[in-house]
Amino acid sequence: MPLLRFDNINLAYGDQPLMDGAEFQIRKGERVCLLGRNGAGKSTMMKLVSGSIDADDGSIWRKPGMRIGILNQDLPEQDEKKVYDVVASGLEEVGEWISQFHELVQNIQTDEDMKALEKVQQRLEAADGWSLQQKVDTVIKKLGLPEEKKMKELSGGWRRRVELARALVCEPDLLLLDEPTNHLDIVAIDWLEKQLLDFQGALLFITHDRSFLQSLATRIVELDRGVLTSWDCDYKTYLERKAHALEVEAEQNALFDKKLAQEETWIRQGIKARRTRNEGRVRALKALRNERMERRNVQGKASFSLEQGSSSGKLVMEVKGVSQSWDAHPIIKDFNLRVIRGDKIGLIGANGAGKSTLLSIILGKLTPDTGTVKEGTKLEVAYFDQLRNQLDLEKSVIDNVSEGRESIVINGASRHVISYLGDFLFPANRCRVPVKALSGGERNRLLLARLFSKPANLLVMDEPTNDLDVETLELLESLLVDFNGTVLLVSHDREFLDNVVSSTLVFQPGGKIKEYVGGFDDWLRQGGEVNDLVAEPQTHKPEKKAEPEIEAQPQTDSKKKKLSYKLQRELDALPGELEKLEEELVKLEANIADPAFYQGEQEVVQATLARLDAVNQDIEVKMERWEELENM
């Protein structure tokens, strides 16, 4: 018996149908991955499954008493709540009583506290709360969580673990995961995979991480043009079967179009078509026309092309004896590297390991504590910023790329800017939209369009795969593989690394960086282990992040002035403030990316766009202030 079943589900936002007679079911023990293009309606389907929204038509059956756990795409808030309380909240009202009991037991001081404890005990006994409390303790212990720490003290990866514990504590029959690998590094992704493989219930998840997908999914369900199609296989087999299905569909459409063209030629003969004996054929032609009008074609794919610069010298970069520390903690220690023209080098490490710091040093943005960096000749550098700071949010899509030009020269051929942006899936009417109204995926595509419009022989890319769907990821891979220049690449996408890079730099404890031939899997085959990577800290510390590292200016004086108490307090608070703003930015972008957003009340739309602009400005101001304080 299935846990859940869709019967003839229809759902549309405005005139855009997201589901058209969709059928779906999931059974206990299945791990189902939901695939589809950006904007196809995957997150909307998850809301239908959870019951947070209703379909326009059709029915959804859920097994009576079924428990559903949800791991949201967004990280939980960095607030004053304790880890124990957040995990217990997965049990709803009983969870609140368990949290109260846990707090009171540790802080009994007065008779009033004793009376409050007795009341909570009575409630727990009536609701079988003791067994539920045992579940909370068991999950916290299994996931190794610091139960007494506050959420504001935890890093992104650890807050993701707390959120998973909250979803698991109710022992759900069905667990929903929307982009669970977001904000996680390779260490945390590997940990999450192992936890989910041990989960005994059913999983329904959305991901663009193909290694994660291949490891977990026992079945794939694709949402394509409003139709749900089930593929009872793993991801690699799905790719083969999907390609064949698209070929068959194209052949059938070609035959249909040929027949329609023949009938259109016949109808133009005039008098013959009006004879009574041919009225049936006329009606059939009208039916063919209607069927052709209702056909929903496969959405086009992005089509990147890169303006290749002239060849650099054979030696692109030579790094000798470089070391760098933050607060006496070694990030890079006695590192040596020779980069030769054509090398494609991936940087592998946990969050905070120093990958962006090394890029800053290599690019000359930051002077190391010791050691030297020698640049080669004829270098033309293009840098992909994971924070997209190179985009002007107030300008339109076309203005960010054209920079006043009407056409762009790509490999000797002149292209109109709008035509060029069409290769990156920006239709003409979308080219005039301000960047601040774009979704995260659209901003990434726009940054790629801007990056690839300029000649380059050295590409430096910091997390270029964020928010890109699988098809666009594969296209970007092909472009980088065919690129004749040199590539330095930071990514937590293991398959992307395997498909692109020729060697890897692996960040290990104590500031050690070792070079290995090949990609991520090649490193594992050479004896590497994920646990060898520097794990991100359990608590959130005000470390030097990628943002200021990339923008930092070379230091001329290694001895810095000690900050006053007030300024030091301000500096310590900035990382937490920035992380909150960045999380709010992600939420706003997701809201704006919803197809129904612009159909809402105009006052709400304008207020949301204004807040998006304000948050971006706040981030810029705080980043500048951080850099200023760090350089004092």
Side-chain angles (χ1 to χ4, degrees):
M1 175 185 288
L3 295 172
L4 174 139
R5 184 174 62 244
F6 281 13
D7 291 318
N8 196 31
I9 293 297
N10 293 285
L11 181 66
Y13 282 132
D15 59 353
Q16 181 181 2
L18 296 182
M19 289 194 177
D20 187 6
E23 304 282 340
F24 169 72
Q25 66 178 20
I26 187 169
R27 298 177 181 274
K28 181 180 179 180
E30 284 192 298
R31 296 192 296 268
V32 179
C33 181
L34 180 60
L35 289 184
R37 299 293 295 267
N38 288 340
K42 301 186 298 295
S43 294
T44 301
M45 178 175 166
M46 297 287 260
K47 293 177 182 177
L48 285 172
V49 170
S50 67
S52 58
I53 63 172
D54 296 321
D56 296 336
D57 193 18
S59 63
I60 300 176
W61 178 86
R62 298 177 182 84
K63 183 180 178 181
M66 180 180 67
R67 297 182 300 273
I68 297 178
I70 302 174
L71 181 63
N72 293 313
Q73 184 174 353
D74 298 325
L75 285 173
E77 296 290 335
Q78 277 189 295
D79 51 26
E80 296 288 334
K81 291 181 181 177
K82 290 186 177 180
V83 168
Y84 190 97
D85 298 337
V86 175
V87 175
S89 69
L91 298 173
E92 298 180 344
E93 186 178 22
V94 177
E96 293 181 18
W97 299 339
I98 292 173
S99 295
Q100 292 172 19
F101 178 81
H102 183 76
E103 183 70 23
L104 288 167
V105 165
Q106 298 184 40
N107 298 287
I108 294 178
Q109 295 179 354
T110 66
D111 291 340
E112 292 297 323
D113 292 339
M114 283 298 300
K115 291 179 181 178
L117 182 62
E118 289 175 3
K119 289 182 180 179
V120 174
Q121 284 178 318
Q122 292 171 1
R123 290 174 179 172
L124 288 174
E125 288 170 357
D128 192 26
W130 302 122
S131 63
L132 295 177
Q133 182 191 22
Q134 184 65 34
K135 291 178 182 178
V136 174
D137 295 337
T138 300
V139 169
I140 287 176
K141 184 178 180 180
K142 181 180 179 181
L143 302 189
L145 301 177
E147 62 182 51
E148 293 303 318
K149 287 193 176 293
K150 295 180 179 179
M151 294 295 287
K152 69 177 184 180
E153 300 178 88
L154 301 185
S155 61
W158 280 89
R159 279 184 287 142
R160 175 65 74 192
R161 297 188 186 201
V162 174
E163 183 71 2
L164 178 63
R166 187 196 63 77
L168 291 175
V169 74
C170 68
E171 295 183 348
D173 301 295
L174 174 61
L175 182 58
L176 307 180
L177 312 170
D178 192 352
E179 292 288 358
T181 60
N182 276 3
H183 311 283
L184 299 187
D185 57 23
I186 289 176
V187 178
I189 292 171
D190 180 73
W191 172 89
L192 181 61
E193 270 184 19
K194 293 173 181 175
Q195 297 298 322
L196 295 177
L197 285 170
D198 289 339
F199 179 63
Q200 299 301 309
L203 286 178
L204 178 62
F205 64 99
I206 299 170
T207 186
H208 294 150
D209 187 320
R210 291 159 295 174
S211 295
F212 186 81
L213 192 167
Q214 178 67 23
S215 297
L216 275 183
T218 58
R219 179 162 65 97
I220 290 171
V221 170
E222 182 185 30
L223 180 54
D224 182 19
R225 290 164 284 170
V227 177
L228 285 172
T229 306
S230 179
W231 305 82
D232 194 11
C233 58
D234 63 8
Y235 177 64
K236 291 181 179 178
T237 307
Y238 153 79
L239 291 177
E240 297 171 359
R241 295 181 181 177
K242 176 64 176 178
H244 176 69
L246 288 176
E247 289 177 7
V248 172
E249 180 183 342
E251 291 173 1
Q252 292 175 343
N253 286 342
L255 291 173
F256 178 93
D257 292 343
K258 181 179 180 181
K259 181 178 180 181
L260 177 59
Q262 291 172 343
E263 294 300 289
E264 291 288 2
T265 301
W266 167 78
I267 196 70
R268 292 190 186 94
Q269 294 175 1
I271 190 65
K272 291 182 181 179
R274 291 194 290 272
R275 291 176 181 170
T276 304
R277 64 177 179 271
N278 286 328
E279 285 181 359
R281 190 172 177 181
V282 173
R283 288 194 296 270
L285 173 58
K286 290 180 180 179
L288 287 175
R289 287 173 174 172
N290 290 334
E291 184 177 345
R292 180 62 184 87
M293 288 176 62
E294 292 173 1
R295 181 197 298 171
R296 297 178 66 185
N297 291 320
V298 178
Q299 182 182 355
K301 294 184 178 181
S303 176
F304 302 162
S305 54
L306 173 62
E307 171 68 353
Q308 304 232 15
S310 57
S311 294
S312 65
K314 184 177 181 181
L315 178 65
V316 175
M317 201 83 59
E318 186 171 22
V319 181
K320 287 186 176 181
V322 164
S323 296
Q324 181 70 44
S325 299
W326 298 119
D327 296 330
H329 178 68
I331 301 295
I332 301 168
K333 186 176 181 180
D334 195 24
F335 176 62
N336 299 286
L337 176 71
R338 283 172 61 88
V339 182
I340 305 300
R341 183 179 63 231
D343 283 349
K344 295 180 173 66
I345 302 174
L347 280 64
I348 297 177
N351 289 339
K355 300 184 296 298
S356 294
T357 300
L358 180 59
L359 288 185
S360 301
I361 292 172
I362 288 176
L363 292 175
K365 302 288 186 180
L366 183 65
T367 301
D369 294 339
T370 61
T372 60
V373 178
K374 178 184 176 182
E375 285 190 0
T377 58
K378 301 180 182 178
L379 286 184
E380 296 179 89
V381 182
Y383 170 59
F384 183 97
D385 174 18
Q386 63 170 317
L387 297 176
R388 313 181 188 107
N389 287 331
Q390 294 161 302
L391 298 177
D392 189 329
L393 301 179
E394 296 302 322
K395 290 184 179 179
S396 66
V397 169
I398 191 171
D399 289 338
N400 266 276
V401 174
S402 69
E403 297 179 336
R405 299 169 292 175
E406 289 189 2
S407 60
I408 294 175
V409 177
I410 303 294
N411 295 325
S414 180
R415 298 280 306 280
H416 193 278
V417 177
I418 291 180
S419 172
Y420 173 70
L421 285 170
D423 291 346
F424 293 80
L425 301 183
F426 289 101
N429 61 340
R430 198 69 173 156
C431 292
R432 304 294 179 185
V433 171
V435 173
K436 63 184 179 182
L438 299 181
S439 67
E442 287 176 316
R443 292 191 190 191
N444 251 23
R445 292 204 306 271
L446 178 59
L447 189 52
L448 289 172
R450 176 184 169 92
L451 185 76
F452 295 163
S453 68
K454 299 176 181 179
N457 51 36
L458 172 60
L459 288 179
V460 181
M461 311 190 81
D462 197 352
E463 289 289 350
T465 63
N466 289 342
D467 302 312
L468 297 181
D469 57 35
V470 173
E471 290 86 350
T472 309
L473 273 176
E474 292 172 346
L475 187 61
L476 179 58
E477 283 177 357
S478 299
L479 184 146
L480 294 179
V481 168
D482 294 337
F483 179 55
N484 294 326
T486 308
V487 178
L488 298 177
L489 172 67
V490 175
S491 179
H492 297 310
D493 188 321
R494 294 159 291 179
E495 184 159 341
F496 189 78
L497 288 167
D498 284 337
N499 293 341
V500 171
V501 304
S502 55
S503 64
T504 51
L505 300 177
V506 180
F507 288 69
Q508 297 176 330
K512 296 179 182 178
I513 305 174
K514 291 187 177 180
E515 185 174 11
Y516 293 83
V517 175
F520 179 81
D521 283 346
D522 294 307
W523 167 61
L524 294 179
R525 281 191 287 271
Q526 294 172 66
E529 293 185 8
V530 173
N531 291 334
D532 291 341
L533 301 177
V534 180
E536 64 175 340
Q538 177 173 304
T539 56
H540 180 76
K541 296 179 181 178
E543 298 176 354
K544 188 81 169 178
K545 290 189 176 181
E547 304 93 322
E549 290 170 1
I550 291 297
E551 297 298 329
Q553 298 300 317
Q555 299 175 17
T556 56
D557 185 1
S558 59
K559 293 184 180 179
K560 292 185 180 181
K561 214 171 125 185
K562 187 172 180 181
L563 296 176
S564 67
Y565 175 79
K566 182 178 179 181
L567 290 178
Q568 187 62 50
R569 286 285 299 271
E570 182 184 356
L571 176 60
D572 292 344
L574 279 171
E577 294 170 0
L578 276 166
E579 188 153 358
K580 288 182 180 179
L581 286 170
E582 289 163 2
E583 289 172 6
E584 183 181 357
L585 184 64
V586 170
K587 291 178 181 178
L588 288 169
E589 290 174 346
N591 185 19
I592 291 170
D594 191 316
F597 173 74
Y598 287 98
Q599 298 171 14
E601 296 180 6
Q602 284 304 304
E603 292 181 0
V604 175
V605 171
Q606 293 303 321
T608 304
L609 292 177
R611 180 56 187 162
L612 181 72
D613 184 30
V615 170
N616 276 297
Q617 290 181 4
D618 284 349
I619 290 175
E620 289 181 11
V621 170
K622 290 186 183 298
M623 287 300 304
E624 290 175 0
R625 180 58 174 164
W626 190 354
E627 181 180 348
E628 180 184 349
L629 291 173
E630 284 283 71
N631 291 327
M632 279 186 178

